[in-house]
Amino acid sequence: PVDLIKIDVEGAELDVLAGAAATIERNQDIALIVEFGFSHLRRTEHTTQDWLRAFEKFGLCFQAIEPSTGALLDWSAAQLESADSMNLLFARPGSKAWERARGHA
């Protein structure tokens, strides 16, 4: 079982996601911490919506991770695009990963 994957690859996130597809599908309570960098998306010619949709295809939703406290925040695509970079936590709704991330497991 895999509980967590950290992805910080300066714009190649969708390649990593494709390579990890079987692992993500087999592990229903998996969490992914992924760095979102709008400048990386522009360089790779991906839109924010397409990038997020790639995670949604696995049933994953996200919350932003506040850098100084680690608190999970609801952020829109527009908010993501206005930040230099932001780590996001992806997990399936109802997953134990959300409890683990909040320190309750």
Side-chain angles (χ1 to χ4, degrees), residues 5 9 18 34 52 60 62 68-69 71-72 95:
I5 297 174
V9 290
V34 184
L52 291 171
L60 302 168
F62 78 91
S68 61
T69 66
L72 297 176
S95 169

Side-chain angles (χ1 to χ4, degrees), residues 26-93:
R26 278 194 313 269
N27 293 276
Q28 289 302 301
D29 285 321
I30 196 167
L32 287 74
I33 297 175
V34 184
E35 181 189 19
F36 177 90
F38 189 55
S39 63
H40 302 310
L41 290 187
R42 284 191 310 230
R43 185 172 34 83
T44 60
E45 299 182 357
H46 293 292
T47 67
T48 301
Q49 291 74 21
D50 289 341
W51 192 87
L52 291 171
R53 241 181 258 120
F55 292 90
E56 291 169 4
K57 287 179 183 175
F58 290 98
L60 302 168
C61 56
F62 78 91
Q63 287 193 302
I65 303 171
E66 203 287 320
S68 61
T69 66
L72 297 176
L73 308 170
D74 291 322
W75 270 34
S76 68
Q79 286 173 297
L80 290 175
E81 291 173 354
S82 70
D84 289 332
S85 73
M86 177 62 72
N87 280 315
L88 308 178
L89 176 69
F90 285 90
R92 292 178 177 92

